[in-house]
């Protein structure tokens, strides 16, 4: 009888241990890099259609600032930017889909804040784009400042930080408004374009992008007022340090490359450079790539295939694009902005 009971207790203990391990793995997966390499591609969660940031053409080819960052991660790992596969996600599902490992990384105009890291067990490795919430209004309203928006009917995307920022701004300034919130961004745009609301609020970068989708883009103004801090960052799962480090330093390599003047056009010349910072960037000095679990030329792969931060910015959302969003805060720290990367050393 004792032997039977002992065996039963051991069996129960093993079952509990297995359950605990399974739950731990479910919440804290630490093998994203190994699984990505084995699969042969990076699964990237992106916006379903935000011009300049992530949008497919009629053949399913994706372009945009966020898309290029995912391609940079794929280039660092596989030396092939085409090894990034894009999975469109709505705002209300993006974090849960990352948690459930449907994607390896979110590169989807997501604001880094404390509650998202805590409540979803996620990590925002580095800020890719400094943004802020603003307002778009029909030019016919002749609105010059957000303080003139009292009594407005405001269209706003649901499941975003925009909701709380909107409420805070109007309450702080003793103004009234009527909220029209919709889950899908396309529906918000359609509601505003059809006149169901007379104001559209979202991150300023989104307003520039979505204005292109309106029936008469030139008839709408984006106000100069910015009412919040919206540091947009890629997102990964917590307690997966190897993967987090690759995502973080992919971005930092692109920023450092721009600061050092290394581009996709002169990368071969940079490989011959004797400048210490450039030598470390391109892998001719130190073991920085190997320490990440990659090759010594990991940053060269990124820059050759995708470009440095400035190249990615300008072709997708800057002066070379239809959006023509000024660099502003996203200019490098030594050129009047706040975009700044730790050194590779």
């Amino acid at each position: 009888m004792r032997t039977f009971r002992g065996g039963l207790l051991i069996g129960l203990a093993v079952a509990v241990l297995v359950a605990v391990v399974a739950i731990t793995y479910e919440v804290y997966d630490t093998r994203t890099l190994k699984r990505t390499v084995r699969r042969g591609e990076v699964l990237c969660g992106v916006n379903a259609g935000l011009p300049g940031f992530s949008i497919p053409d009629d053949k399913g080819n994706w372009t945009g600032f966020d898309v290029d960052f995912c391609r940079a991660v794929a280039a660092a790992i596989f030396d092939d930017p085409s090894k990034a596969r894009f999975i469109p996600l709505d705002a209300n599902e993006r974090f849960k889909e990352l948690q459930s490992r449907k994607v390896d990384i979110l590169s989807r105009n997501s604001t880094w804040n404390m509650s998202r890291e805590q409540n979803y067990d996620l990590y925002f490795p580095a800020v890719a784009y400094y943004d802020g919430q603003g307002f778009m209004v029909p030019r016919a309203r002749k609105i010059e400042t957000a303080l003139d928006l009292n009594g407005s009917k405001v269209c706003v995307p649901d499941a975003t930080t925009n909701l709380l920022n909107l409420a805070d701004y109007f309450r702080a300034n003793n103004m009234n408004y009527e909220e029209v919130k919709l889950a899908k961004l396309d529906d918000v745009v359609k509601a505003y374009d059809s006149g169901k609301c007379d104001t559209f609020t979202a991150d300023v970068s989104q307003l520039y992008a979505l204005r292109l989708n309106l029936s008469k883009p030139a008839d709408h103004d984006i106000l100069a007022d910015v009412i919040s801090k919206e540091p947009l960052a890629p997102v990964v799962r917590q307690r997966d340090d190897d993967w987090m480090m690759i995502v973080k330093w992919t971005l930092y390599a692109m920023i450092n490359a721009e600061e050092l003047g290394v581009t996709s056009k002169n990368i071969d010349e940079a490989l011959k450079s004797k400048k210490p910072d450039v030598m470390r960037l391109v892998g001719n000095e130190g073991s920085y790539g190997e320490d990440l679990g990659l090759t010594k030329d990991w940053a060269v792969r990124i820059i050759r295939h995708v470009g440095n931060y400035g190249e990615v910015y300008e072709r997708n959302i800057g002066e070379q694009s239809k959006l023509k969003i000024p660099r502003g805060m996203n200019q490098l720290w030594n050129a009047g902005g706040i975009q700044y990367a730790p050194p590779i050393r």
Side-chain angles (χ1 to χ4, degrees):
M1 181 65 69
R2 289 182 180 178
T3 301
F4 174 76
R5 288 178 178 175
L8 182 60
L9 290 173
I10 292 173
L12 288 172
V14 170
V16 170
L17 180 61
V18 169
V20 169
V21 170
I23 292 171
T24 301
Y25 174 74
E26 182 68 25
V27 178
Y28 305 131
D29 179 13
T30 61
R31 299 190 294 181
T32 303
L33 177 58
K34 291 181 180 178
R35 191 168 55 252
T36 298
V37 171
R38 185 170 61 248
R39 185 194 307 123
E41 61 182 358
V42 181
L43 303 182
C44 299
V46 294
N47 196 301
L50 184 62
F53 287 85
S54 59
I55 189 167
D57 61 18
D58 54 4
K59 296 181 180 178
N61 299 312
W62 288 83
T63 58
F65 180 88
D66 291 337
V67 166
D68 275 350
F69 179 71
C70 277
R71 290 201 172 109
V73 174
I77 298 170
F78 300 109
D79 196 19
D80 185 351
S82 70
K83 296 293 186 181
R85 179 152 64 93
F86 303 101
I87 299 173
L89 298 174
D90 290 333
N92 60 357
E93 65 179 347
R94 55 185 160 168
F95 299 122
K96 293 179 181 177
E97 295 291 21
L98 177 60
Q99 280 181 314
S100 66
R101 300 195 296 281
K102 181 176 180 178
V103 295
D104 302 316
I105 178 176
L106 280 182
S107 187
R108 194 204 173 283
N109 57 295
S110 298
T111 297
W112 180 357
N113 63 32
M114 184 176 180
S115 62
R116 285 176 170 174
E117 285 197 327
Q118 288 186 319
N119 297 341
Y120 292 99
D121 288 314
L122 300 175
Y123 191 77
F124 294 70
V127 178
Y129 187 92
Y130 290 95
D131 208 349
Q133 187 170 333
F135 298 95
M136 180 163 59
V137 294
R139 185 165 295 172
R141 291 190 68 190
K142 297 182 179 180
I143 297 289
E144 295 184 359
T145 172
L147 293 174
D148 296 331
L149 292 174
N150 187 39
S152 293
K153 193 172 184 179
V154 185
C155 278
V156 57
D158 198 5
T160 66
T161 56
N162 300 144
L163 288 166
L164 181 58
N165 293 334
L166 176 65
D168 286 349
Y169 182 78
F170 273 79
R171 183 172 62 177
N173 290 287
N174 297 312
M175 300 191 303
N176 298 314
Y177 73 101
E178 181 180 345
E179 177 184 275
V180 180
K181 63 180 181 181
L182 297 163
K184 293 187 178 297
L185 196 57
D186 284 347
D187 292 337
V188 183
V189 176
K190 290 175 183 177
Y192 173 75
D193 202 22
S194 65
K196 292 182 180 178
C197 45
D198 54 28
T199 305
F200 186 175
T201 188
D203 294 351
V204 172
S205 62
Q206 287 194 31
L207 295 178
Y208 272 95
L210 297 172
R211 182 167 60 176
L212 298 177
N213 294 339
L214 300 178
S215 55
K216 296 181 179 179
D219 289 352
H220 300 268
D221 290 327
I222 296 171
L223 303 181
D225 306 75
V226 177
I227 67 170
S228 71
K229 295 186 295 184
E230 305 295 331
L232 307 183
V235 195
V236 297
R237 290 178 289 275
Q238 285 187 12
R239 296 167 181 83
D240 196 353
D241 291 350
D242 290 347
W243 184 245
M244 179 270 292
M245 289 289 285
I246 289 174
V247 172
K248 175 193 291 188
W249 283 99
T250 293
L251 176 60
Y252 286 159
M254 297 167 75
I255 296 172
N256 276 312
E258 182 183 10
E259 183 177 336
L260 294 169
V262 179
T263 71
S264 59
K265 296 180 177 61
N266 66 17
I267 186 63
D268 289 326
E269 295 175 25
L271 284 165
K272 303 172 187 176
S273 175
K274 298 302 179 183
K275 295 180 179 180
D277 286 341
V278 175
M279 291 177 69
R280 287 189 285 266
L281 174 71
V282 301
N284 288 337
E285 185 173 294
S287 58
Y288 305 102
E290 293 94 330
D291 293 342
L292 285 173
L294 303 175
T295 59
K296 68 177 183 177
D297 67 339
W298 64 285
V300 173
R301 295 175 171 189
I302 294 169
I303 299 160
R304 187 187 301 282
H305 292 301
V306 182
N308 67 30
Y309 182 88
E311 289 179 283
V312 171
Y313 188 102
E314 293 303 332
R315 72 168 167 260
N316 288 300
I317 56 180
E319 289 303 315
Q320 298 172 19
S321 73
K322 293 181 179 179
L323 274 66
K324 299 189 182 304
I325 302 176
R327 282 286 293 265
M329 291 186 295
N330 292 290
Q331 188 58 266
L332 295 182
W333 66 282
N334 57 2
I338 62 174
Q339 193 57 271
Y340 187 103
I344 297 173
R345 61 175 56 183

